[in-house]
Amino acid sequence: MAYTIDLTGKIALVTGGASGIGYAIAEAFLEAGAEVIVTAKTDTSLEKCNEKTKYGVLKKIKLDVTNDISIENLFSQIDDLHILVNNAGIVKRGLEFRIEHFADVINTNLMGVMRMSHEALPKLALTHGNIINIASMWSFFGSPMSPGYTASKTGIIGLTKSLSNAWYEHHVRVNAIAPGYIETKLTKPLRDEKEEKEKITERTVMKKWGAPKDIAGAAVYLASDKANYTTGTTITVDGGYSIT
Ligand SMILES: NC(=O)c1ccc[n+]([C@@H]2O[C@H](COP(=O)([O-])OP(=O)(O)OC[C@H]3O[C@@H](n4cnc5c(N)ncnc54)[C@H](OP(=O)(O)O)[C@@H]3O)[C@@H](O)[C@H]2O)c1
């Protein structure tokens, strides 16, 4: 019998799961047998998101993680919850030295994770569920162009440790994944700068950027019972970028 990861009977919520890394995680959760809800901030992204995947149908709900009413509205549509992936995120490269942009990025990437985790806790406590936060290479390094993004993603690692410590009394595990450079719409402006794109490719041990699905395996593992002794940790999935 093959060694398998089975998420049958689990209900997962992936914020920002209508595209990119979140969508790949959502598809993989479906493949593993879970029911999956994905969200986007805008109607355009929700409409563009193909809910009919090879492995089943995704439920789509609009969500702004900076808005308490939007979060309340989302949770009013969810009964049980086993897995929360805090994946929604933005970067405002080059603009984040201005305080309004710095604040916007922190509010979305870091405070959004706290808001969502706090609202999800009562449901996750009932199912002994888990949270997966999406960190970044900029959790470890200092971006000269994106101080808000760096601060938010460094904060994700600290928040993951703190919540994992606090919430195991509810049998809720909290972990993070730090992706390397992945081809998504978030990194399109960076990839359009030929020199920057090349620099990153060259530094990466595997000499290539990742695809969204490269992140999904770590998420399926962390979400599953196979990770039942794992909490407070960050798994790096970066093709070797961070070891050079
Ligand atoms: N791509 C990479 O190389 C990379 C590397 C490390 C970490 N990450 C992280 O991975 C996560 C996913 O990014 P991605 O690369 O897959 O980009 P993406 O396709 O642009 O996904 C970002 C998602 O977040 C949603 N979002 C943005 N602001 C939101 C808000 N206020 N409330 C709720 N949802 C919001 C977006 O919705 P709309 O489309 O409607 O705006 C979109 O669905 C982010 O946290 C990012 O920081 C990415």
Side-chain angles (χ1 to χ4, degrees):
M1 164 109 178
Y3 187 82
T4 53
I5 295 186
D6 187 6
L7 297 179
T8 303
K10 308 286 185 196
I11 301 173
L13 168 62
V14 184
T15 70
S19 61
I21 292 171
Y23 188 80
I25 291 173
E27 265 196 310
F29 282 173
L30 277 180
E31 186 180 357
E35 281 176 50
V36 189
I37 303 152
V38 293
T39 74
K41 183 182 176 186
T42 58
D43 289 323
T44 320
S45 292
L46 265 195
E47 280 156 22
K48 267 204 212 151
C49 169
N50 179 13
E51 68 268 35
K52 288 183 189 134
T53 81
K54 208 162 119 190
Y55 308 104
V57 180
L58 296 166
K59 182 170 178 186
K60 303 193 283 189
I61 303 180
K62 193 170 164 178
L63 168 73
D64 180 351
V65 298
T66 68
N67 182 313
D68 289 333
I69 294 167
S70 174
I71 293 174
E72 244 174 62
N73 173 52
L74 170 91
F75 281 103
S76 72
Q77 298 175 62
I78 298 174
D79 294 326
D80 297 331
L81 186 67
H82 302 82
I83 303 156
L84 167 65
V85 182
N86 284 309
N87 165 79
I90 56 170
V91 63
K92 294 186 159 184
R93 194 163 170 266
L95 297 175
E96 297 173 13
F97 287 91
R98 298 226 322 255
I99 199 68
E100 69 269 28
H101 296 303
F102 181 89
D104 188 19
V105 172
I106 297 283
N107 194 17
T108 305
N109 295 6
L110 185 58
M111 293 175 68
V113 169
M114 186 60 190
R115 282 188 199 95
M116 288 299 296
S117 301
H118 184 262
E119 283 303 303
L121 178 63
K123 291 184 191 296
L124 294 173
L126 287 175
T127 59
H128 293 183
N130 67 85
I131 298 174
I132 300 168
N133 298 322
I134 302 301
S136 163
M137 286 299 97
W138 296 119
S139 300
F140 313 122
F141 307 117
S143 163
M145 299 289 279
S146 306
Y149 190 80
T150 302
S152 71
K153 294 298 186 179
T154 303
I156 286 292
I157 293 189
L159 183 60
T160 299
K161 290 179 185 174
S162 183
L163 297 184
S164 66
N165 197 347
W167 289 351
Y168 202 69
E169 66 172 309
H170 304 291
H171 300 280
V172 173
R173 295 183 296 106
V174 186
N175 292 292
I177 298 171
Y181 286 86
I182 310 298
E183 293 189 353
T184 67
K185 79 176 154 65
L186 184 122
T187 53
K188 170 94 173 56
L190 191 57
R191 282 180 285 123
D192 286 345
E193 288 177 37
K194 212 169 166 286
E195 248 177 62
E196 284 300 315
K197 184 183 175 189
E198 253 329 283
K199 245 183 5 198
I200 290 162
T201 308
E202 270 315 298
R203 177 172 164 175
T204 306
V205 170
M206 293 186 183
K207 302 292 178 223
K208 60 179 182 185
W209 284 52
K213 66 177 167 39
D214 293 329
I215 306 304
V220 172
Y221 161 69
L222 286 174
S224 77
D225 292 347
K226 306 286 190 216
N228 65 7
Y229 196 55
T230 303
T231 197
T233 201
T234 298
I235 297 184
T236 296
V237 184
D238 68 345
Y241 179 89
S242 60
I243 55 98
T244 58

